[in-house]
Amino acid sequence: PMGSERTEMRKRQMPTTQETPGAAQAQHSTANRGSNACCFCWCCCCSCSCLTVRNQDEERARRTSHELQAEGIPNCEESPAPTLEEVNAWAQSFDKLMLTPAGRNAFREFLRTEFSEENMLFWMACEELKQESNKSVIEEKARLIYEDYISILSPKEVSLDSRVREVINRNMLEPSQHTFDDAQLQIYTLMHRDSYPRFMNSAIYKDLLQSLSEKPIEA
């Protein structure tokens, strides 16, 4: 009788002791998924926070260099609408185009279509630097120009030869209004020889010329 009682008690205890490890393991797994879903989520559910972060990182990686360059670009210069005479003058020389804000704005619009607007932005930044007289302001603007357009790490880096880069690096030891003069001239020449002829044959220029030609002359 005593043996049968012990056997019966053992049978009653066995289900409890056998189920405990499995239940604990299941609870531990569930707790992991609930408390830190972004690390242990096996179902790739859309609510998992790690997927949101990963998707954002992938989206940043897919952004084109042009989109990066477009960030922080200043607005076009304020200027009155160009006249037909002014637009015709742009075809006479690149200098006449660059002398007027309206001409620079139209040329910038064209450069943007060729993903080379940084050339105009660099040239304009150099012109602005030349107007400064305060030493601390000159140093700060020179540093920003270097970081934005000269540094090889910048998405807006302009194309300069090694000689000009060496000149800039020497000039940056003591920046002045003329730190980038050689580089500015090189970029100006590049725009003149390379981009300006295409601008004159572009739809941007031709459409502007046509719209002004068809505009009725005011009395």
Side-chain angles (χ1 to χ4, degrees):
M2 291 293 294
S4 59
E5 288 180 3
R6 290 196 188 96
T7 302
E8 185 65 25
M9 291 177 64
R10 192 178 297 115
K11 288 181 179 179
R12 293 175 182 174
Q13 293 173 355
M14 282 179 63
T16 304
T17 56
Q18 288 176 350
E19 290 176 3
T20 301
Q25 184 177 3
Q27 291 174 357
H28 179 68
S29 176
T30 304
N32 278 342
R33 288 199 301 268
S35 63
N36 198 7
C38 65
C39 297
F40 297 94
C41 180
W42 55 269
C43 63
C44 297
C45 59
C46 60
S47 62
C48 188
S49 60
C50 67
L51 295 178
T52 303
V53 174
R54 190 181 305 122
N55 290 339
Q56 291 174 348
D57 291 340
E58 291 174 355
E59 181 63 25
R60 292 191 192 100
R62 285 195 294 268
R63 296 170 67 190
T64 65
S65 60
H66 175 60
E67 289 173 329
L68 291 174
Q69 291 176 16
E71 293 180 356
I73 290 179
N75 294 328
C76 291
E77 299 174 78
E78 293 184 4
S79 69
T83 64
L84 178 60
E85 182 181 3
E86 288 176 329
V87 175
N88 279 322
W90 298 348
Q92 297 173 12
S93 72
F94 184 60
D95 291 339
K96 291 184 177 181
L97 169 70
M98 293 290 284
L99 279 174
T100 64
R104 292 191 293 270
N105 286 339
F107 191 50
R108 273 185 65 182
E109 183 182 353
F110 169 74
L111 291 177
R112 193 176 296 119
T113 67
E114 293 199 335
F115 308 101
S116 59
E117 187 182 11
E118 66 274 3
N119 290 331
M120 176 65 81
L121 295 175
F122 171 68
W123 184 88
M124 292 170 62
C126 292
E127 287 294 294
E128 183 179 337
L129 178 64
K130 291 177 181 179
Q131 307 304 317
E132 294 294 343
S133 57
N134 184 286
K135 188 175 185 296
S136 61
V137 174
I138 290 172
E139 291 177 350
E140 177 64 15
K141 286 193 173 183
R143 181 184 64 81
L144 292 175
I145 291 174
Y146 187 93
E147 292 177 355
D148 286 345
Y149 304 107
I150 309 300
S151 172
I152 60 175
L153 301 177
S154 173
K156 296 186 289 185
E157 178 194 6
V158 295
S159 179
L160 300 170
D161 61 38
S162 58
R163 180 193 66 82
V164 172
R165 287 184 175 276
E166 290 175 3
V167 170
I168 292 175
N169 289 334
R170 289 197 302 269
N171 290 342
M172 286 299 292
L173 297 176
E174 192 173 348
S176 72
Q177 300 101 317
H178 306 287
T179 292
F180 304 100
D181 281 2
D182 287 350
Q184 185 186 21
L185 177 60
Q186 190 169 97
I187 294 302
Y188 187 91
T189 304
L190 174 66
M191 292 190 293
H192 183 190
R193 295 177 178 176
D194 186 57
S195 303
Y196 173 64
R198 291 197 298 275
F199 169 70
M200 298 311 304
N201 291 313
S202 69
I204 292 176
Y205 177 73
K206 291 180 178 179
D207 290 348
L208 178 59
L209 187 63
Q210 182 178 358
S211 65
L212 291 173
S213 300
E214 296 174 349
K215 187 177 180 180
I217 300 176
E218 295 181 359

